[in-house]
Amino acid sequence: MEILSNVVNYLLSLGAAIFVPIIIIIAGLIVGMKVKDAISSGITLGVAFTGMTMLISFMTGAISPAAEAMLETVGISLPIVDGGWTTMSTISWSWPYAFLMFPLMIGINVLMLVINKTNTFNADLWNVWGKIFTAVAVVGITGSVPLAFAVAAVQIVFELKSADAHQHRIETLSGIPGVTCTHKMVFLAAIFYPIDKLLRKIPALDKDFDAESLKDKVGIFAENHVLGFILGCVFGVLARYSIAETLTLAIQAATALTLFPVITKYFMQALSPISEAVSDFMNKRFEGRTLLVGLDWPFMGGSNEIWLAVIYSVPVTLIFSMFLPGNEILPFAGIINIALAVPAFLVTGGNLLRMIILCTIGSPIFLWVGTAFAPFMTNLANTTGAVQLEAGKMISNSSIDGPVFTYAFSHVFKFLEGNFIPLIILIVWVVSFIFYYRDLMREAKAAQQLEQEEPLEAAEA
């Protein structure tokens, strides 16, 4: 058992840029790709992941100090340290039963594929730590390991069903066929869904307004490099930087926004061949069935709307952290909150105005959940020694993926103590997810029927 644990931990320690391409190469060979094509796709995917990680680190390194300076300006001091997702991952993997989540995730995926309850093959095995994080939260509250794995299993099922439902919209927005997102960050879209439905009823908000529309309205000022420069200048001024520091930050922001779409092209280059091979493989063996490849979110990173929403959310989150009742976490490592922008992007179909509204509404959720998770994450960090903390310090994350789902499903057993709030939140999330799932599936079915009708109409003409 210890040997298996060491092997699994070693493979996962390689990181997504190595581990996921290995899975893709193996999958490509299984579905009949030529060795050279499979290896080429895998290496290109590794390049894309590394490039996206470098850009996000570069952007975080530029903006985080400015955000910290803004907080220092107003003299804000909050007791919970924001360790970001990397620290949460480290703490999660320190759980003694963490390695068992790996076979559970694969087993459920294979079973659901065999009984035709999903069309998604989750290649994003590296992010198994997200399930471990939820399990750790359950154990921290209930003390029950079996219950922790049961809740993690539920999360795995929801991830696969969510991936199935989102595929058509993701393909429409990203232009990459046969690929979907299995990351639990998209779970927040279920909560955003009813709000977005209401926003769509407002005439001014129901019109197309993506990054391209913004360019039509303001011209060069909406070009990636110019917009990034302007936003960087704004951050520099708010942080009370010198002129030189402000201009440096402006160029850094311009660089990041310019290069994000460039990196995304490599995701398309890597994933298109494997997507075609998987599709051919499934068509030969399962008539009428299409297998989807589930991945982490970065392949959608070429969408400018995501980054505009991310940058907008930084000052919004900082302002909320200062005045939000019940918040005790100082947002820092998680200040670049992808887990807020991606669900808003998906549920709105890339409508920038509605994304900004949803990000404003969603920011407090992350702060509250980050505060709620601090006690047992701190306890686990201290008992395992995974993270060294100063005496009296607490640690959490201000951008926990799928915060509503993670909080509700891990804290639901609090109702045994008379606290019914997590149970109510869980019911709200599940109901919202069901309606959102149905809406996405109807959208995909309508698009499929339209595609089938077009050739017939062309033939008749």
Side-chain angles (χ1 to χ4, degrees):
M1 191 72 77
E2 185 177 349
I3 295 176
L4 176 61
S5 175
N6 290 337
V7 170
V8 171
N9 288 336
Y10 172 74
L11 290 173
L12 291 170
S13 70
L14 298 175
I18 298 176
F19 185 75
V20 176
I22 290 174
I23 297 298
I24 288 295
I25 291 172
I26 294 173
L29 295 174
I30 290 174
V31 298
M33 287 182 74
K34 294 180 179 178
V35 174
K36 65 180 183 65
D37 293 336
I39 293 175
S40 177
S41 290
I43 293 174
T44 304
L45 186 60
V47 169
F49 267 111
T50 301
M52 188 64 72
T53 300
M54 288 171 61
L55 273 180
I56 293 173
S57 296
F58 172 74
M59 189 174 179
T60 303
I63 291 180
S64 290
E68 189 175 24
M70 293 179 208
L71 291 173
E72 289 177 355
T73 299
V74 296
I76 191 73
S77 179
L78 296 165
I80 301 174
V81 176
D82 180 9
W85 75 265
T86 52
T87 304
M88 294 302 100
S89 175
T90 300
I91 295 173
S92 297
W93 277 112
S94 68
W95 187 45
Y97 303 98
F99 74 98
L100 293 175
M101 198 64 70
F102 198 69
L104 178 69
M105 180 176 167
I106 295 174
I108 290 175
N109 195 171
V110 171
L111 176 62
M112 289 183 66
L113 283 169
V114 170
I115 64 177
N116 198 19
K117 293 301 180 181
T118 185
N119 289 319
T120 299
F121 157 63
N122 188 1
D124 186 25
L125 301 180
W126 184 80
N127 267 318
V128 69
W129 82 266
K131 271 67 72 176
I132 299 170
F133 181 82
T134 303
V136 165
V138 174
V139 169
I141 293 167
T142 67
S144 172
V145 172
L147 201 55
F149 277 98
V151 172
V154 171
Q155 178 176 321
I156 293 167
V157 172
F158 272 117
E159 284 177 349
L160 293 171
K161 300 304 290 184
S162 174
D164 290 339
H166 274 109
Q167 190 277 326
H168 170 72
R169 185 167 292 185
I170 287 175
E171 181 176 339
T172 301
L173 293 169
S174 69
I176 305 178
V179 177
T180 186
C181 183
T182 44
H183 202 291
K184 74 166 180 173
M185 69 167 61
V186 301
F187 286 171
L188 186 59
I191 291 298
F192 282 162
Y193 171 71
I195 303 172
D196 187 62
K197 292 287 282 186
L198 291 174
L199 294 176
R200 288 172 185 262
K201 296 183 182 298
I202 301 173
L205 298 178
D206 195 33
K207 299 175 182 177
D208 291 337
F209 193 84
D210 54 13
E212 288 299 320
S213 301
L214 187 62
K215 288 181 183 179
D216 293 338
K217 294 183 183 298
V218 297
I220 190 174
F221 294 102
E223 294 289 341
N224 284 24
H225 59 299
V226 177
L227 185 58
F229 185 85
I230 293 171
L231 292 171
C233 286
V234 171
F235 272 92
V237 171
L238 292 175
R240 298 188 180 181
Y241 277 4
S242 66
I243 293 177
E245 290 171 328
T246 298
L247 292 175
T248 299
L249 178 58
I251 289 296
Q252 289 172 329
T255 300
L257 285 186
T258 301
L259 293 181
F260 277 124
V262 176
I263 294 297
T264 302
K265 293 178 182 177
Y266 290 98
F267 280 102
M268 298 178 70
Q269 183 179 326
L271 294 171
S272 291
I274 184 69
S275 175
E276 292 174 6
V278 168
S279 179
D280 292 340
F281 179 84
M282 288 298 290
N283 287 336
K284 291 176 182 177
R285 288 158 180 79
F286 303 97
E287 187 176 351
R289 226 180 135 187
T290 302
L291 187 64
L292 310 171
V293 179
L295 289 174
D296 199 352
W297 72 272
F299 70 92
M300 294 184 277
S303 301
N304 294 331
E305 295 83 6
I306 291 176
W307 301 110
L308 293 175
V310 165
I311 294 173
Y312 162 82
S313 300
V314 172
V316 170
T317 302
L318 291 174
I319 292 170
F320 273 123
S321 71
M322 298 176 200
F323 307 108
L324 186 68
N327 172 58
E328 295 182 18
I329 188 169
L330 180 66
F332 183 64
I335 196 66
I336 302 298
N337 195 349
I338 307 295
L340 175 61
V342 169
F345 173 67
L346 291 177
V347 78
T348 63
N351 183 293
L352 194 53
L353 290 177
R354 297 204 305 274
M355 285 178 68
I356 287 173
I357 294 172
L358 292 177
C359 286
T360 304
I361 295 171
S363 289
I365 296 174
F366 285 87
L367 295 174
W368 279 323
V369 172
T371 299
F373 274 57
F376 55 82
M377 295 310 296
T378 301
N379 181 62
L380 185 64
N382 288 331
T383 55
T384 62
V387 178
Q388 299 299 317
L389 296 174
E390 296 178 15
K393 282 286 185 181
M394 299 181 74
I395 193 166
S396 188
N397 180 12
S398 66
S399 57
I400 291 173
D401 301 315
V404 177
F405 173 94
T406 309
Y407 172 79
F409 276 79
S410 61
H411 285 68
V412 66
F413 304 102
K414 288 275 188 180
F415 79 89
L416 297 173
E417 303 171 7
N419 182 1
F420 289 89
I421 293 177
L423 177 60
I424 294 171
I425 294 174
L426 183 150
I427 293 170
V428 170
W429 185 88
V430 170
V431 171
S432 298
F433 179 87
I434 291 171
F435 280 97
Y436 181 47
Y437 177 88
R438 289 176 178 175
D439 202 356
L440 288 172
M441 296 303 286
R442 280 195 296 265
E443 178 184 299
K445 187 176 181 180
Q448 186 179 23
Q449 290 176 342
L450 186 61
E451 289 177 3
Q452 293 172 346
E453 291 172 1
E454 285 178 349
L456 293 175
E457 291 175 356
E460 290 174 357

